[in-house]
Amino acid sequence: MAILKYHNLNSTILDLGIFINNFYMISEGHWERLFLSHIQPLSFIWSLSFKIFPDDVVPYFILAEQAFLLTFPVVVLYRSYGIIPTVAFALYFPLWYNALFDFHLDHLAIPFLLGFFIMERKGKIGLAVFFGFLLALVKEIFTMQAIFCGIYLFIIRKHRLGGSILTLASLVYFFIGCVYLKTYFNPDVMNNNQVPIGTYSWLGNSFQDIILAILTKPFWILKEIFSNEERVKYIFYLFGALGFIPFLRPGILWVTIPILAHSLLSLDPKHYGFTHHYSAGLLIPNIIAFAEGIPRAKRLWEHIKLKKQWFEPILCAGLIVCHILLSPSPISLKFYNPGAGSHYFAVYIPSERNQIIKTA
């Protein structure tokens, strides 16, 4: 579907066009592009595609790669947790928006976080730390999430050494990459406090003011968040689409705090819009919490005297209904709604207009 959208000229400059341009420029030796706007050193890997494929093939390659990495967790989840969490992942609406909203390196957070959790569950803490640090390399906000992954290992899972290594390594990388390199390569923007203070200016005029506001005025901030209908909708959709079962495993949700804070504290509606890619860091923790919360959900179901055999059918029916209502897939309402814009089925179908443009 992503390839069809691009092939029919319905992808956009923001952000597929920007990434194609950056990858090409990096392949031509403009290494500073790894650190412009966002700190994304892994962009180098995608830039190599311009050395391997003809230029007009590269967009198809990177979209296919994104689709592969987004869907590969189906195999791992099925082997680790069984059919219901796998179905929940496949139907979870953030997966579809990350796959069909052009291309973003944010999608790497999904396989990296899956590797982090699965390796930790298997007792392979070294590999868990490795995947956690790979997460830090995706983008600044994921560096913060990697720090929280380290704290999760240290405090919640009691892996003191692994947690310490991941936390310290991510902190060092944060100060080198997200503070020094970002300031060096983006001096005008950083000196003018345009990024990222602008989207959080209601909390203060500096990082120090923002942190102080979060620590000293938590109830005021929560009031502001929950008085905004779109922010409440964002939270409700994210967890409601999984039957709120992730809340039964709150420890896992610890690693979602930076991503949720980034979205819910921002003044930019795109950050808490459920049709964008900013949910990439939430997808796997929510699904893992869902998978591990199911046994407790079953006990609660039986505790309120509901028939045991109806739990799984009703849960699966709920997953399907939420998918139909919220996702942009071919079985969703949005797919057949002309008002859905870039998610309407027509964007995947060749048109005479597109052919005229290509011919010209």
Side-chain angles (χ1 to χ4, degrees), residues 253-288:
L253 300 182
W254 167 265
V255 303
T256 67
I257 291 175
I259 309 297
L260 283 173
H262 170 63
S263 296
L264 297 177
L265 297 179
S266 174
L267 293 175
D268 189 343
K270 294 192 299 291
H271 290 158
Y272 49 85
F274 72 95
T275 63
H276 291 82
H277 62 286
Y278 298 104
S279 57
L282 304 174
L283 206 159
I284 288 298
N286 286 358
I287 289 293
I288 297 293

PDB file of all heavy atoms in Angstrom, residues 253-288:
ATOM      1  N   LEU A 253       4.838  -0.006  31.049  1.00  0.00           N
ATOM      2  CA  LEU A 253       4.489   1.296  30.490  1.00  0.00           C
ATOM      3  C   LEU A 253       5.440   2.403  30.948  1.00  0.00           C
ATOM      4  O   LEU A 253       5.368   3.532  30.446  1.00  0.00           O
ATOM      5  CB  LEU A 253       3.049   1.649  30.862  1.00  0.00           C
ATOM      6  CG  LEU A 253       1.971   0.677  30.360  1.00  0.00           C
ATOM      7  CD1 LEU A 253       0.593   1.177  30.752  1.00  0.00           C
ATOM      8  CD2 LEU A 253       2.062   0.482  28.847  1.00  0.00           C
ATOM      9  N   TRP A 254       6.335   2.082  31.885  1.00  0.00           N
ATOM     10  CA  TRP A 254       7.331   3.053  32.325  1.00  0.00           C
ATOM     11  C   TRP A 254       8.117   3.601  31.131  1.00  0.00           C
ATOM     12  O   TRP A 254       8.403   4.795  31.051  1.00  0.00           O
ATOM     13  CB  TRP A 254       8.282   2.393  33.323  1.00  0.00           C
ATOM     14  CG  TRP A 254       9.516   3.179  33.615  1.00  0.00           C
ATOM     15  CD1 TRP A 254      10.739   3.047  33.012  1.00  0.00           C
ATOM     16  CD2 TRP A 254       9.656   4.244  34.566  1.00  0.00           C
ATOM     17  NE1 TRP A 254      11.629   3.957  33.530  1.00  0.00           N
ATOM     18  CE2 TRP A 254      10.996   4.703  34.483  1.00  0.00           C
ATOM     19  CE3 TRP A 254       8.785   4.852  35.476  1.00  0.00           C
ATOM     20  CZ2 TRP A 254      11.474   5.735  35.280  1.00  0.00           C
ATOM     21  CZ3 TRP A 254       9.271   5.885  36.270  1.00  0.00           C
ATOM     22  CH2 TRP A 254      10.596   6.314  36.167  1.00  0.00           C
ATOM     23  N   VAL A 255       8.444   2.721  30.178  1.00  0.00           N
ATOM     24  CA  VAL A 255       9.290   3.140  29.054  1.00  0.00           C
ATOM     25  C   VAL A 255       8.533   4.011  28.058  1.00  0.00           C
ATOM     26  O   VAL A 255       9.139   4.562  27.136  1.00  0.00           O
ATOM     27  CB  VAL A 255       9.913   1.921  28.327  1.00  0.00           C
ATOM     28  CG1 VAL A 255      10.715   1.067  29.283  1.00  0.00           C
ATOM     29  CG2 VAL A 255       8.851   1.082  27.640  1.00  0.00           C
ATOM     30  N   THR A 256       7.227   4.144  28.231  1.00  0.00           N
ATOM     31  CA  THR A 256       6.456   5.005  27.324  1.00  0.00           C
ATOM     32  C   THR A 256       6.402   6.454  27.807  1.00  0.00           C
ATOM     33  O   THR A 256       5.922   7.328  27.074  1.00  0.00           O
ATOM     34  CB  THR A 256       5.010   4.488  27.164  1.00  0.00           C
ATOM     35  OG1 THR A 256       4.301   4.631  28.420  1.00  0.00           O
ATOM     36  CG2 THR A 256       4.986   3.027  26.739  1.00  0.00           C
ATOM     37  N   ILE A 257       6.877   6.722  29.013  1.00  0.00           N
ATOM     38  CA  ILE A 257       6.738   8.058  29.599  1.00  0.00           C
ATOM     39  C   ILE A 257       7.329   9.162  28.718  1.00  0.00           C
ATOM     40  O   ILE A 257       6.667  10.185  28.479  1.00  0.00           O
ATOM     41  CB  ILE A 257       7.344   8.096  31.016  1.00  0.00           C
ATOM     42  CG1 ILE A 257       6.484   7.259  31.975  1.00  0.00           C
ATOM     43  CG2 ILE A 257       7.461   9.534  31.526  1.00  0.00           C
ATOM     44  CD1 ILE A 257       7.049   7.131  33.370  1.00  0.00           C
ATOM     45  N   PRO A 258       8.564   9.029  28.197  1.00  0.00           N
ATOM     46  CA  PRO A 258       9.094  10.123  27.352  1.00  0.00           C
ATOM     47  C   PRO A 258       8.261  10.373  26.103  1.00  0.00           C
ATOM     48  O   PRO A 258       8.081  11.531  25.696  1.00  0.00           O
ATOM     49  CB  PRO A 258      10.501   9.630  26.982  1.00  0.00           C
ATOM     50  CG  PRO A 258      10.840   8.592  27.987  1.00  0.00           C
ATOM     51  CD  PRO A 258       9.541   7.944  28.362  1.00  0.00           C
ATOM     52  N   ILE A 259       7.756   9.297  25.489  1.00  0.00           N
ATOM     53  CA  ILE A 259       6.979   9.453  24.260  1.00  0.00           C
ATOM     54  C   ILE A 259       5.639  10.114  24.557  1.00  0.00           C
ATOM     55  O   ILE A 259       5.216  11.038  23.849  1.00  0.00           O
ATOM     56  CB  ILE A 259       6.747   8.091  23.580  1.00  0.00           C
ATOM     57  CG1 ILE A 259       8.067   7.338  23.412  1.00  0.00           C
ATOM     58  CG2 ILE A 259       6.067   8.289  22.231  1.00  0.00           C
ATOM     59  CD1 ILE A 259       9.071   8.010  22.536  1.00  0.00           C
ATOM     60  N   LEU A 260       4.976   9.663  25.609  1.00  0.00           N
ATOM     61  CA  LEU A 260       3.698  10.270  25.984  1.00  0.00           C
ATOM     62  C   LEU A 260       3.889  11.730  26.385  1.00  0.00           C
ATOM     63  O   LEU A 260       3.086  12.591  26.026  1.00  0.00           O
ATOM     64  CB  LEU A 260       3.064   9.485  27.128  1.00  0.00           C
ATOM     65  CG  LEU A 260       2.394   8.163  26.753  1.00  0.00           C
ATOM     66  CD1 LEU A 260       1.972   7.406  28.001  1.00  0.00           C
ATOM     67  CD2 LEU A 260       1.182   8.399  25.850  1.00  0.00           C
ATOM     68  N   ALA A 261       4.961  12.008  27.141  1.00  0.00           N
ATOM     69  CA  ALA A 261       5.219  13.386  27.567  1.00  0.00           C
ATOM     70  C   ALA A 261       5.482  14.275  26.356  1.00  0.00           C
ATOM     71  O   ALA A 261       4.977  15.405  26.271  1.00  0.00           O
ATOM     72  CB  ALA A 261       6.408  13.417  28.523  1.00  0.00           C
ATOM     73  N   HIS A 262       6.268  13.769  25.414  1.00  0.00           N
ATOM     74  CA  HIS A 262       6.571  14.528  24.197  1.00  0.00           C
ATOM     75  C   HIS A 262       5.285  14.892  23.447  1.00  0.00           C
ATOM     76  O   HIS A 262       5.140  16.015  22.949  1.00  0.00           O
ATOM     77  CB  HIS A 262       7.476  13.687  23.297  1.00  0.00           C
ATOM     78  CG  HIS A 262       7.664  14.242  21.921  1.00  0.00           C
ATOM     79  ND1 HIS A 262       8.267  15.457  21.670  1.00  0.00           N
ATOM     80  CD2 HIS A 262       7.327  13.747  20.701  1.00  0.00           C
ATOM     81  CE1 HIS A 262       8.290  15.687  20.372  1.00  0.00           C
ATOM     82  NE2 HIS A 262       7.723  14.672  19.755  1.00  0.00           N
ATOM     83  N   SER A 263       4.354  13.954  23.387  1.00  0.00           N
ATOM     84  CA  SER A 263       3.109  14.198  22.653  1.00  0.00           C
ATOM     85  C   SER A 263       2.134  15.059  23.438  1.00  0.00           C
ATOM     86  O   SER A 263       1.592  16.036  22.923  1.00  0.00           O
ATOM     87  CB  SER A 263       2.449  12.864  22.293  1.00  0.00           C
ATOM     88  OG  SER A 263       3.254  12.122  21.403  1.00  0.00           O
ATOM     89  N   LEU A 264       1.903  14.699  24.693  1.00  0.00           N
ATOM     90  CA  LEU A 264       0.841  15.339  25.465  1.00  0.00           C
ATOM     91  C   LEU A 264       1.215  16.725  25.982  1.00  0.00           C
ATOM     92  O   LEU A 264       0.331  17.540  26.259  1.00  0.00           O
ATOM     93  CB  LEU A 264       0.461  14.432  26.648  1.00  0.00           C
ATOM     94  CG  LEU A 264      -0.115  13.068  26.260  1.00  0.00           C
ATOM     95  CD1 LEU A 264      -0.372  12.228  27.508  1.00  0.00           C
ATOM     96  CD2 LEU A 264      -1.402  13.224  25.459  1.00  0.00           C
ATOM     97  N   LEU A 265       2.522  17.017  26.107  1.00  0.00           N
ATOM     98  CA  LEU A 265       2.938  18.337  26.589  1.00  0.00           C
ATOM     99  C   LEU A 265       3.178  19.320  25.449  1.00  0.00           C
ATOM    100  O   LEU A 265       3.428  20.493  25.687  1.00  0.00           O
ATOM    101  CB  LEU A 265       4.216  18.217  27.427  1.00  0.00           C
ATOM    102  CG  LEU A 265       4.104  17.401  28.717  1.00  0.00           C
ATOM    103  CD1 LEU A 265       5.453  17.354  29.435  1.00  0.00           C
ATOM    104  CD2 LEU A 265       3.035  17.981  29.641  1.00  0.00           C
ATOM    105  N   SER A 266       3.082  18.836  24.225  1.00  0.00           N
ATOM    106  CA  SER A 266       3.351  19.692  23.073  1.00  0.00           C
ATOM    107  C   SER A 266       2.136  20.542  22.708  1.00  0.00           C
ATOM    108  O   SER A 266       0.990  20.135  22.884  1.00  0.00           O
ATOM    109  CB  SER A 266       3.743  18.821  21.875  1.00  0.00           C
ATOM    110  OG  SER A 266       3.875  19.608  20.714  1.00  0.00           O
ATOM    111  N   LEU A 267       2.430  21.722  22.167  1.00  0.00           N
ATOM    112  CA  LEU A 267       1.365  22.586  21.651  1.00  0.00           C
ATOM    113  C   LEU A 267       1.001  22.235  20.215  1.00  0.00           C
ATOM    114  O   LEU A 267      -0.002  22.731  19.690  1.00  0.00           O
ATOM    115  CB  LEU A 267       1.817  24.055  21.706  1.00  0.00           C
ATOM    116  CG  LEU A 267       2.003  24.669  23.097  1.00  0.00           C
ATOM    117  CD1 LEU A 267       2.575  26.070  22.964  1.00  0.00           C
ATOM    118  CD2 LEU A 267       0.686  24.700  23.853  1.00  0.00           C
ATOM    119  N   ASP A 268       1.812  21.390  19.578  1.00  0.00           N
ATOM    120  CA  ASP A 268       1.587  21.015  18.194  1.00  0.00           C
ATOM    121  C   ASP A 268       0.567  19.878  18.126  1.00  0.00           C
ATOM    122  O   ASP A 268       0.839  18.772  18.598  1.00  0.00           O
ATOM    123  CB  ASP A 268       2.904  20.573  17.555  1.00  0.00           C
ATOM    124  CG  ASP A 268       2.790  20.364  16.052  1.00  0.00           C
ATOM    125  OD1 ASP A 268       1.651  20.248  15.549  1.00  0.00           O
ATOM    126  OD2 ASP A 268       3.837  20.319  15.383  1.00  0.00           O
ATOM    127  N   PRO A 269      -0.605  20.110  17.539  1.00  0.00           N
ATOM    128  CA  PRO A 269      -1.645  19.065  17.484  1.00  0.00           C
ATOM    129  C   PRO A 269      -1.192  17.788  16.787  1.00  0.00           C
ATOM    130  O   PRO A 269      -1.724  16.709  17.065  1.00  0.00           O
ATOM    131  CB  PRO A 269      -2.792  19.741  16.716  1.00  0.00           C
ATOM    132  CG  PRO A 269      -2.561  21.199  16.880  1.00  0.00           C
ATOM    133  CD  PRO A 269      -1.072  21.371  16.934  1.00  0.00           C
ATOM    134  N   LYS A 270      -0.210  17.894  15.885  1.00  0.00           N
ATOM    135  CA  LYS A 270       0.273  16.688  15.201  1.00  0.00           C
ATOM    136  C   LYS A 270       0.889  15.704  16.184  1.00  0.00           C
ATOM    137  O   LYS A 270       0.829  14.489  15.987  1.00  0.00           O
ATOM    138  CB  LYS A 270       1.298  17.050  14.128  1.00  0.00           C
ATOM    139  CG  LYS A 270       0.762  17.851  12.963  1.00  0.00           C
ATOM    140  CD  LYS A 270       1.746  17.912  11.822  1.00  0.00           C
ATOM    141  CE  LYS A 270       3.053  18.573  12.208  1.00  0.00           C
ATOM    142  NZ  LYS A 270       2.891  20.018  12.452  1.00  0.00           N
ATOM    143  N   HIS A 271       1.493  16.225  17.249  1.00  0.00           N
ATOM    144  CA  HIS A 271       2.176  15.345  18.201  1.00  0.00           C
ATOM    145  C   HIS A 271       1.207  14.458  18.976  1.00  0.00           C
ATOM    146  O   HIS A 271       1.581  13.374  19.431  1.00  0.00           O
ATOM    147  CB  HIS A 271       3.019  16.172  19.173  1.00  0.00           C
ATOM    148  CG  HIS A 271       4.214  16.793  18.519  1.00  0.00           C
ATOM    149  ND1 HIS A 271       4.870  17.899  19.035  1.00  0.00           N
ATOM    150  CD2 HIS A 271       4.876  16.471  17.374  1.00  0.00           C
ATOM    151  CE1 HIS A 271       5.876  18.225  18.247  1.00  0.00           C
ATOM    152  NE2 HIS A 271       5.899  17.377  17.234  1.00  0.00           N
ATOM    153  N   TYR A 272      -0.016  14.917  19.161  1.00  0.00           N
ATOM    154  CA  TYR A 272      -0.999  14.052  19.829  1.00  0.00           C
ATOM    155  C   TYR A 272      -2.153  13.690  18.883  1.00  0.00           C
ATOM    156  O   TYR A 272      -3.244  13.333  19.312  1.00  0.00           O
ATOM    157  CB  TYR A 272      -1.527  14.697  21.118  1.00  0.00           C
ATOM    158  CG  TYR A 272      -1.984  16.132  21.009  1.00  0.00           C
ATOM    159  CD1 TYR A 272      -3.278  16.451  20.590  1.00  0.00           C
ATOM    160  CD2 TYR A 272      -1.135  17.174  21.353  1.00  0.00           C
ATOM    161  CE1 TYR A 272      -3.701  17.760  20.498  1.00  0.00           C
ATOM    162  CE2 TYR A 272      -1.546  18.503  21.264  1.00  0.00           C
ATOM    163  CZ  TYR A 272      -2.826  18.780  20.836  1.00  0.00           C
ATOM    164  OH  TYR A 272      -3.243  20.093  20.755  1.00  0.00           O
ATOM    165  N   GLY A 273      -1.851  13.762  17.594  1.00  0.00           N
ATOM    166  CA  GLY A 273      -2.811  13.286  16.605  1.00  0.00           C
ATOM    167  C   GLY A 273      -2.598  11.797  16.358  1.00  0.00           C
ATOM    168  O   GLY A 273      -1.478  11.376  16.052  1.00  0.00           O
ATOM    169  N   PHE A 274      -3.618  11.000  16.490  1.00  0.00           N
ATOM    170  CA  PHE A 274      -3.422   9.551  16.439  1.00  0.00           C
ATOM    171  C   PHE A 274      -3.162   9.034  15.029  1.00  0.00           C
ATOM    172  O   PHE A 274      -2.849   7.856  14.844  1.00  0.00           O
ATOM    173  CB  PHE A 274      -4.630   8.827  17.050  1.00  0.00           C
ATOM    174  CG  PHE A 274      -5.885   8.866  16.221  1.00  0.00           C
ATOM    175  CD1 PHE A 274      -6.208   7.819  15.365  1.00  0.00           C
ATOM    176  CD2 PHE A 274      -6.770   9.937  16.312  1.00  0.00           C
ATOM    177  CE1 PHE A 274      -7.367   7.846  14.614  1.00  0.00           C
ATOM    178  CE2 PHE A 274      -7.938   9.977  15.561  1.00  0.00           C
ATOM    179  CZ  PHE A 274      -8.235   8.919  14.706  1.00  0.00           C
ATOM    180  N   THR A 275      -3.257   9.907  14.012  1.00  0.00           N
ATOM    181  CA  THR A 275      -3.010   9.470  12.639  1.00  0.00           C
ATOM    182  C   THR A 275      -1.577   9.746  12.193  1.00  0.00           C
ATOM    183  O   THR A 275      -1.255   9.571  11.018  1.00  0.00           O
ATOM    184  CB  THR A 275      -3.978  10.172  11.672  1.00  0.00           C
ATOM    185  OG1 THR A 275      -3.732  11.588  11.711  1.00  0.00           O
ATOM    186  CG2 THR A 275      -5.426   9.903  12.044  1.00  0.00           C
ATOM    187  N   HIS A 276      -0.709  10.163  13.102  1.00  0.00           N
ATOM    188  CA  HIS A 276       0.668  10.461  12.751  1.00  0.00           C
ATOM    189  C   HIS A 276       1.615   9.366  13.248  1.00  0.00           C
ATOM    190  O   HIS A 276       1.179   8.375  13.829  1.00  0.00           O
ATOM    191  CB  HIS A 276       1.064  11.829  13.307  1.00  0.00           C
ATOM    192  CG  HIS A 276       0.365  12.965  12.615  1.00  0.00           C
ATOM    193  ND1 HIS A 276      -0.912  13.355  12.952  1.00  0.00           N
ATOM    194  CD2 HIS A 276       0.759  13.778  11.607  1.00  0.00           C
ATOM    195  CE1 HIS A 276      -1.288  14.372  12.176  1.00  0.00           C
ATOM    196  NE2 HIS A 276      -0.295  14.649  11.355  1.00  0.00           N
ATOM    197  N   HIS A 277       2.910   9.597  13.048  1.00  0.00           N
ATOM    198  CA  HIS A 277       3.918   8.578  13.344  1.00  0.00           C
ATOM    199  C   HIS A 277       4.516   8.704  14.746  1.00  0.00           C
ATOM    200  O   HIS A 277       5.403   7.924  15.100  1.00  0.00           O
ATOM    201  CB  HIS A 277       5.050   8.669  12.322  1.00  0.00           C
ATOM    202  CG  HIS A 277       5.764   9.991  12.352  1.00  0.00           C
ATOM    203  ND1 HIS A 277       5.202  11.142  11.846  1.00  0.00           N
ATOM    204  CD2 HIS A 277       6.975  10.344  12.824  1.00  0.00           C
ATOM    205  CE1 HIS A 277       6.040  12.147  12.011  1.00  0.00           C
ATOM    206  NE2 HIS A 277       7.128  11.694  12.604  1.00  0.00           N
ATOM    207  N   TYR A 278       4.043   9.655  15.524  1.00  0.00           N
ATOM    208  CA  TYR A 278       4.662   9.908  16.831  1.00  0.00           C
ATOM    209  C   TYR A 278       4.339   8.827  17.866  1.00  0.00           C
ATOM    210  O   TYR A 278       4.844   8.864  18.981  1.00  0.00           O
ATOM    211  CB  TYR A 278       4.235  11.289  17.349  1.00  0.00           C
ATOM    212  CG  TYR A 278       4.679  12.408  16.445  1.00  0.00           C
ATOM    213  CD1 TYR A 278       3.779  13.048  15.600  1.00  0.00           C
ATOM    214  CD2 TYR A 278       6.008  12.797  16.401  1.00  0.00           C
ATOM    215  CE1 TYR A 278       4.188  14.062  14.745  1.00  0.00           C
ATOM    216  CE2 TYR A 278       6.430  13.812  15.552  1.00  0.00           C
ATOM    217  CZ  TYR A 278       5.514  14.440  14.730  1.00  0.00           C
ATOM    218  OH  TYR A 278       5.930  15.439  13.876  1.00  0.00           O
ATOM    219  N   SER A 279       3.514   7.876  17.492  1.00  0.00           N
ATOM    220  CA  SER A 279       3.154   6.776  18.396  1.00  0.00           C
ATOM    221  C   SER A 279       4.090   5.579  18.260  1.00  0.00           C
ATOM    222  O   SER A 279       3.889   4.557  18.923  1.00  0.00           O
ATOM    223  CB  SER A 279       1.720   6.321  18.112  1.00  0.00           C
ATOM    224  OG  SER A 279       1.588   5.933  16.744  1.00  0.00           O
ATOM    225  N   ALA A 280       5.126   5.681  17.424  1.00  0.00           N
ATOM    226  CA  ALA A 280       5.989   4.520  17.158  1.00  0.00           C
ATOM    227  C   ALA A 280       6.604   3.955  18.433  1.00  0.00           C
ATOM    228  O   ALA A 280       6.697   2.736  18.609  1.00  0.00           O
ATOM    229  CB  ALA A 280       7.087   4.903  16.167  1.00  0.00           C
ATOM    230  N   GLY A 281       7.011   4.827  19.350  1.00  0.00           N
ATOM    231  CA  GLY A 281       7.644   4.360  20.582  1.00  0.00           C
ATOM    232  C   GLY A 281       6.672   3.783  21.594  1.00  0.00           C
ATOM    233  O   GLY A 281       7.095   3.226  22.619  1.00  0.00           O
ATOM    234  N   LEU A 282       5.377   3.910  21.335  1.00  0.00           N
ATOM    235  CA  LEU A 282       4.359   3.391  22.254  1.00  0.00           C
ATOM    236  C   LEU A 282       3.866   2.012  21.840  1.00  0.00           C
ATOM    237  O   LEU A 282       3.351   1.254  22.668  1.00  0.00           O
ATOM    238  CB  LEU A 282       3.161   4.346  22.302  1.00  0.00           C
ATOM    239  CG  LEU A 282       3.452   5.799  22.675  1.00  0.00           C
ATOM    240  CD1 LEU A 282       2.180   6.636  22.521  1.00  0.00           C
ATOM    241  CD2 LEU A 282       3.970   5.895  24.102  1.00  0.00           C
ATOM    242  N   LEU A 283       4.009   1.676  20.568  1.00  0.00           N
ATOM    243  CA  LEU A 283       3.358   0.502  20.017  1.00  0.00           C
ATOM    244  C   LEU A 283       3.793  -0.791  20.705  1.00  0.00           C
ATOM    245  O   LEU A 283       2.954  -1.544  21.230  1.00  0.00           O
ATOM    246  CB  LEU A 283       3.644   0.441  18.515  1.00  0.00           C
ATOM    247  CG  LEU A 283       2.623  -0.284  17.635  1.00  0.00           C
ATOM    248  CD1 LEU A 283       2.766   0.181  16.189  1.00  0.00           C
ATOM    249  CD2 LEU A 283       2.761  -1.775  17.701  1.00  0.00           C
ATOM    250  N   ILE A 284       5.081  -1.069  20.733  1.00  0.00           N
ATOM    251  CA  ILE A 284       5.562  -2.335  21.303  1.00  0.00           C
ATOM    252  C   ILE A 284       5.360  -2.404  22.822  1.00  0.00           C
ATOM    253  O   ILE A 284       4.864  -3.430  23.333  1.00  0.00           O
ATOM    254  CB  ILE A 284       7.029  -2.573  20.921  1.00  0.00           C
ATOM    255  CG1 ILE A 284       7.122  -2.940  19.439  1.00  0.00           C
ATOM    256  CG2 ILE A 284       7.644  -3.686  21.772  1.00  0.00           C
ATOM    257  CD1 ILE A 284       6.405  -4.214  19.037  1.00  0.00           C
ATOM    258  N   PRO A 285       5.706  -1.368  23.596  1.00  0.00           N
ATOM    259  CA  PRO A 285       5.420  -1.472  25.039  1.00  0.00           C
ATOM    260  C   PRO A 285       3.945  -1.728  25.338  1.00  0.00           C
ATOM    261  O   PRO A 285       3.612  -2.525  26.220  1.00  0.00           O
ATOM    262  CB  PRO A 285       5.870  -0.110  25.584  1.00  0.00           C
ATOM    263  CG  PRO A 285       6.899   0.352  24.619  1.00  0.00           C
ATOM    264  CD  PRO A 285       6.458  -0.141  23.274  1.00  0.00           C
ATOM    265  N   ASN A 286       3.054  -1.068  24.592  1.00  0.00           N
ATOM    266  CA  ASN A 286       1.621  -1.291  24.804  1.00  0.00           C
ATOM    267  C   ASN A 286       1.222  -2.722  24.465  1.00  0.00           C
ATOM    268  O   ASN A 286       0.423  -3.345  25.171  1.00  0.00           O
ATOM    269  CB  ASN A 286       0.799  -0.311  23.966  1.00  0.00           C
ATOM    270  CG  ASN A 286       0.814   1.099  24.531  1.00  0.00           C
ATOM    271  OD1 ASN A 286       1.404   1.350  25.580  1.00  0.00           O
ATOM    272  ND2 ASN A 286       0.185   2.027  23.841  1.00  0.00           N
ATOM    273  N   ILE A 287       1.773  -3.274  23.381  1.00  0.00           N
ATOM    274  CA  ILE A 287       1.436  -4.633  22.980  1.00  0.00           C
ATOM    275  C   ILE A 287       2.018  -5.651  23.962  1.00  0.00           C
ATOM    276  O   ILE A 287       1.353  -6.639  24.315  1.00  0.00           O
ATOM    277  CB  ILE A 287       1.933  -4.910  21.545  1.00  0.00           C
ATOM    278  CG1 ILE A 287       1.094  -4.128  20.530  1.00  0.00           C
ATOM    279  CG2 ILE A 287       1.895  -6.397  21.230  1.00  0.00           C
ATOM    280  CD1 ILE A 287      -0.354  -4.572  20.423  1.00  0.00           C
ATOM    281  N   ILE A 288       3.247  -5.440  24.415  1.00  0.00           N
ATOM    282  CA  ILE A 288       3.843  -6.361  25.399  1.00  0.00           C
ATOM    283  C   ILE A 288       3.052  -6.310  26.705  1.00  0.00           C
ATOM    284  O   ILE A 288       2.764  -7.349  27.323  1.00  0.00           O
ATOM    285  CB  ILE A 288       5.320  -6.013  25.656  1.00  0.00           C
ATOM    286  CG1 ILE A 288       6.145  -6.180  24.378  1.00  0.00           C
ATOM    287  CG2 ILE A 288       5.891  -6.869  26.773  1.00  0.00           C
ATOM    288  CD1 ILE A 288       6.274  -7.592  23.878  1.00  0.00           C
TER     289      ILE A 288
END
